[in-house]
Amino acid sequence: MSSLQSSALARVKPSATLAVTAQARQLKAEGRDVIGLGAGEPDFDTPENIKQAAIDAITRGETKYTDADGMPQLKAAISAKFKRENGLDYSTAQIHVAPGGKPVIFNALVATLNPGDEVIVPAPYWVSYPDMVLLAGGEPVTVVGEEKDGFKLRPEVLEAAITPKTKWLILNSPSNPTGAAYTRAELEEIAAVLRRHPQVWVLTDDMYEHLVYGDFEYTTIAQVAPDLYDRTLTVNGVSKAYAMTGWRIGYAGGPKPLIDLMRKVASQTTSNPTSISQWAAVEALNGPQDFIPERKAAFEKRRDLVVSMLNQTAGVTCATPEGAFYVYPSIAGLIGKTTEGGVVIDSDGTFAAELLNAEGVAVVQGEAFGLSPYFRISYATSESVLEDACARIQRFAASLR
């Protein structure tokens, strides 16, 4: 009997971050005292003016189909945002809107990849990048950004990974899972490599753009290297900065021929993003932005708290990230130790499982992001919860022998 599962789907794994979040939710439902630090989701509420815009849209009857890749009003707001915040000129014909950032990326990959095409994916990577490449028929090529390099891709490593089959490079800054963000100078070094390889396109995932800390200056590669504009897809969305994860609106600006192909994919898959969410996103982009610095300051305090407590944990070291709301601590000092129940910590996967079992703290293992032995914490929750969670991690690490 033939398998029900397609060979394409057999190549991929379920999302590890969603799996951890679901597991934590299930354990809570069973009455366990569980702190879930797996979800990349702000704990802040969607601002009132954005929610009201959605209510007003419903009242006006804005409940019909829109264009497959976004309505003109939202495309205009996105175009204005790119100009205002990034100095990038994208006409509305160069804008693609989809039900979240993930479909934007998937549409681009499905629209452009042929069997054997390679996509360079710097690790640690967001868990979905390699699997989306596989589903689209391409081959993910993992290159590692070492901790000593701030978890960022070095230009010489990129150069060595490019082959005649390379179609895309995916850049994520600030990064999920590490929070690492590329400086202007670092992006210029990446651009210098790409100039030598005109067949390579760049997909830059800027979803955490507004969450950078201290005096870090955010830039995106099409802004730093205007000569790469014609082969760059600049991806963003409203999920993180505007606390709109469930509204499902992602967007991108890029060359019109690519955007036309992506629209073709959307027309035969998702049709349009939800009309109500699109009107909410118009208000998010056009409306007041004053809450963003306030929330960013709260995230920065949480980052500093978590980094401090983790660096006071036996066998754990934690770098201070430039942005996003994640840390990516190393457990190299715990590998080979044994739990009180006799389980050897032989990997970050075992560490995460035993931490959840012993202390009820759900984190995501580093192997899901392509670099071990680490784990990811999302600090998008309250300081009191983070203090409790880090104290439990300290207690668990101290119990290992």
Side-chain angles (χ1 to χ4, degrees), residues 15-25 28 34-44 102 126-127 175-177 208 211 239-240 245-246 299 302 324-327 356 361-365 369 375-382 385-386:
S15 167
T17 52
L18 294 181
V20 167
T21 303
Q23 185 180 13
R25 193 178 292 124
K28 280 184 181 179
V34 172
I35 300 175
L37 301 179
E41 182 170 58
D43 60 323
F44 298 113
K102 193 179 287 187
W126 179 42
V127 294
S175 157
N176 175 3
Y208 298 92
L211 299 177
S239 295
K240 312 302 181 180
T245 49
F299 280 128
R302 296 170 181 185
F325 39 64
Y326 308 104
V327 291
L356 180 58
V361 178
V363 301
V364 187
Q365 65 275 20
F369 305 103
F375 65 100
R376 190 195 77 172
I377 281 178
S378 168
Y379 55 83
T381 189
S382 70
V385 170
L386 292 170

Side-chain angles (χ1 to χ4, degrees), residues 23 71 112 161 166 174 189 193 200 233 302 329 331 371 378 392:
Q23 185 180 13
M71 63 189 194
T112 58
T166 305
E189 290 182 331
V193 175
V200 182
L233 185 69
R302 296 170 181 185
I331 58 159
L371 187 64
S378 168
R392 296 186 193 196

Side-chain angles (χ1 to χ4, degrees), residues 266-349:
S267 74
Q268 294 291 10
T269 52
T270 52
S271 295
N272 60 278
T274 304
S275 60
I276 307 307
S277 294
Q278 290 190 66
W279 282 108
V282 170
E283 175 62 21
L285 295 174
N286 288 345
Q289 309 289 303
D290 52 346
F291 63 92
I292 293 178
E294 297 171 11
R295 293 182 177 188
K296 184 169 80 167
F299 280 128
E300 188 167 5
K301 279 186 67 179
R302 296 170 181 185
R303 177 200 67 170
D304 293 344
L305 167 69
V306 170
V307 168
S308 174
M309 289 190 72
L310 288 174
N311 279 321
Q312 297 171 53
T313 303
V316 176
T317 58
C318 184
T320 302
E322 293 91 353
F325 39 64
Y326 308 104
V327 291
Y328 201 63
S330 167
I331 58 159
L334 299 179
I335 296 296
K337 294 199 170 186
T338 305
T339 69
E340 291 175 337
V343 177
V344 176
I345 305 296
D346 57 359
S347 68
D348 46 43

Side-chain angles (χ1 to χ4, degrees), residues 223-251:
Q223 180 182 11
V224 170
D227 56 314
L228 299 182
Y229 173 92
D230 287 335
R231 51 182 167 122
T232 299
L233 185 69
T234 306
V235 178
N236 212 313
V238 296
S239 295
K240 312 302 181 180
Y242 300 95
M244 294 175 67
T245 49
W247 296 80
R248 307 311 301 138
I249 295 291
Y251 60 81

Side-chain angles (χ1 to χ4, degrees), residues 46-254:
T46 304
E48 289 300 319
N49 62 303
I50 298 173
K51 291 194 285 187
Q52 188 60 50
I55 294 167
D56 292 344
I58 294 170
T59 303
R60 290 196 309 272
E62 304 277 7
T63 57
K64 308 298 184 185
Y65 292 128
T66 73
D67 292 344
D69 65 343
M71 63 189 194
Q73 297 89 337
L74 180 52
K75 289 188 176 185
I78 292 164
S79 179
K81 177 266 181 240
F82 276 129
K83 181 66 174 176
R84 179 178 69 245
E85 297 183 351
N86 308 110
L88 293 173
D89 287 308
Y90 290 116
S91 70
T92 55
Q94 293 177 274
I95 302 295
H96 182 84
V97 186
K102 193 179 287 187
V104 172
I105 297 168
F106 187 66
N107 289 350
L109 297 173
V110 167
T112 58
L113 291 179
N114 292 308
D117 284 347
E118 295 174 351
V119 178
I120 295 175
V121 183
Y125 46 67
W126 179 42
V127 294
S128 295
Y129 295 143
D131 290 300
M132 285 196 286
V133 171
L134 290 167
L135 274 174
E139 298 296 333
V141 176
T142 301
V143 291
V144 174
E146 302 282 357
E147 184 174 358
K148 64 180 175 60
D149 297 317
F151 296 115
K152 288 179 270 192
L153 177 63
R154 294 294 307 144
E156 61 272 17
V157 175
L158 172 61
E159 182 79 65
I162 293 174
T163 76
K165 294 180 178 180
T166 305
K167 191 73 166 276
W168 286 95
L169 163 67
I170 296 179
L171 278 181
N172 178 207
S173 173
S175 157
N176 175 3
T178 66
Y182 287 85
T183 64
R184 177 179 286 270
E186 288 165 339
L187 288 176
E188 285 172 346
E189 290 182 331
I190 297 291
V193 175
L194 294 170
R195 289 187 185 105
R196 296 193 285 273
H197 302 278
Q199 87 278 14
V200 182
W201 286 64
V202 190
L203 190 157
T204 175
D205 181 348
D206 300 350
M207 195 64 72
Y208 298 92
E209 166 190 18
H210 288 295
L211 299 177
V212 292
Y213 308 121
D215 57 1
F216 187 90
E217 179 199 352
Y218 181 82
T219 50
T220 191
I221 196 161
Q223 180 182 11
V224 170
D227 56 314
L228 299 182
Y229 173 92
D230 287 335
R231 51 182 167 122
T232 299
L233 185 69
T234 306
V235 178
N236 212 313
V238 296
S239 295
K240 312 302 181 180
Y242 300 95
M244 294 175 67
T245 49
W247 296 80
R248 307 311 301 138
I249 295 291
Y251 60 81

